[in-house]
Amino acid sequence: MRDCYSLIRLHFIPRLVYPRDLVHRYGKWAIISGASEVIAKAYAEELARHGVGIILISTDSTSLNDTARTISDTHGVEAVLVEADFSHGALTCKPIKDAIKDKDIGFVINCLNSSLDIPRDFHDISESELWQIINNTVSAASLITRLALPGMAEKQRGVVVNISSGRCFRPYARKAALSASTAFFDHFSRALRYEYGHRGVFVQSLLPGSVASEGDDGSIITGWLVPQPHVYARHALSTLGISHRTTGYWPHTLQLGLVRLRDIRAFSPISLGR
């Protein structure tokens, strides 16, 4: 009964309430890191629908020209593109500093690279690729959040959302980089919450399950447990200010609950004795 109540309070009641004024509550601009990811794009469009200006940060800004144009044309807000490859070091922060200067930053959205979900033996990842993974996930999320936090703390308002994966609850073979990165995002969020929650900054660890993406043949497979990105983003945004740690989508919450229950049963004393 407690779990049912939590599910309803988090995922259903907020969606029945009239949409909140996100600009007034948190700020006028959002920084979207890892903006080439489908969830990040959908989240950016959902924020833009609420009147929030968007700063898209990616290692390849040219791939986001259409996204920025769509956001501006459809929602009437400004969309700024910033190219930043954090494997080049801390100097990568300079164009981001220039982009956010004198802007009322209310949102920092860090999104994990979905390509980490592809199974690979760890020793098959080259040194240069591993360097790219570490710097454009862990370093990028840390540095971008660091740039925005002073202004948020001073204004006593703001949001940091770290989007990783529901797979962070346990390690997976042949996905060491994914497991480690999602664990960092999750613990980073929880630590920031303890440090900045009393300063008016809401920090959320978003742990989605599978979200639909376009395949190599252009097809998109969706379903109850695999929502369209914009559907997921709309559900996830409704949990903002309510839950610090959530899947963001109620079928994913049910799915994760069943997985965790299975794990508990598998490692119970009775099971271990068989």
Side-chain angles (χ1 to χ4, degrees):
M1 289 179 65
R2 183 187 61 191
D3 291 343
C4 288
Y5 167 75
S6 298
L7 191 72
I8 293 170
R9 181 186 65 83
L10 175 59
H11 294 289
F12 292 97
I13 293 178
R15 292 180 55 77
L16 299 176
V17 179
Y18 187 80
R20 297 160 290 174
D21 186 349
L22 297 181
V23 172
H24 176 75
R25 184 170 181 178
Y26 298 116
K28 297 180 180 178
W29 284 87
I31 304 173
I32 312 292
S33 172
S36 58
E37 299 298 318
V38 291
I39 294 180
K41 290 179 184 178
Y43 208 106
E45 290 194 28
E46 189 62 23
L47 286 173
R49 192 171 70 89
H50 288 266
V52 179
I54 305 298
I55 301 172
L56 300 168
I57 300 177
S58 176
T59 55
D60 181 14
S61 61
T62 57
S63 64
L64 294 171
N65 286 328
D66 290 341
T67 301
R69 191 179 305 111
T70 299
I71 288 174
S72 296
D73 295 345
T74 305
H75 305 289
V77 299
E78 190 175 353
V80 178
L81 290 176
V82 179
E83 186 167 316
D85 187 346
F86 283 87
S87 63
H88 296 157
L91 291 177
T92 308
C93 291
K94 187 179 184 309
I96 302 174
K97 288 180 180 178
D98 295 339
I100 69 176
K101 185 179 180 181
D102 300 326
K103 286 184 172 64
D104 179 18
I105 304 296
F107 304 82
V108 174
I109 315 298
N110 297 307
C111 191
L112 193 65
N113 187 343
S114 61
S115 67
L116 297 179
D117 202 19
I118 301 173
R120 295 176 65 186
D121 290 330
F122 189 72
H123 70 267
D124 287 336
I125 304 175
S126 66
E127 289 88 347
S128 60
E129 187 178 358
L130 191 58
W131 181 258
Q132 288 271 357
I133 290 172
I134 293 172
N135 284 283
N136 287 309
T137 52
V138 173
S139 298
S142 302
L143 289 169
I144 291 172
T145 303
R146 165 64 182 80
L147 292 176
L149 271 178
M152 291 180 175
E154 181 181 353
K155 293 178 295 184
Q156 294 281 303
R157 62 175 182 149
V159 168
V160 176
V161 179
N162 293 313
I163 307 174
S164 54
S165 170
R167 297 181 185 275
C168 77
F169 288 98
R170 66 175 182 179
Y172 282 79
R174 305 192 70 214
K175 293 186 179 181
L178 174 69
S179 297
S181 299
T182 53
F184 170 81
F185 269 49
D186 189 42
H187 283 262
F188 182 49
S189 303
R190 296 161 77 179
L192 287 179
R193 172 195 168 190
Y194 296 136
E195 188 173 350
Y196 288 92
H198 67 284
R199 304 187 196 184
V201 181
F202 184 85
V203 184
Q204 184 182 63
S205 177
L206 207 53
L207 308 165
S210 298
V211 176
S213 59
E214 187 173 326
D216 295 335
D217 58 354
S219 62
I220 300 178
I221 300 176
T222 63
W224 184 57
L225 290 175
V226 187
Q228 290 274 12
H230 72 274
V231 172
Y232 174 81
R234 189 161 300 180
H235 278 80
L237 193 61
S238 71
T239 68
L240 208 58
I242 300 173
S243 176
H244 293 279
R245 192 170 186 245
T246 174
T247 65
Y249 181 60
W250 70 269
H252 288 172
T253 298
L254 290 177
Q255 184 183 34
L256 184 60
L258 292 173
V259 169
R260 297 183 72 180
L261 179 62
R262 183 191 64 187
D263 290 345
I264 291 172
R265 289 173 61 88
F267 290 97
S268 67
I270 293 176
S271 297
L272 289 175
R274 289 178 180 174

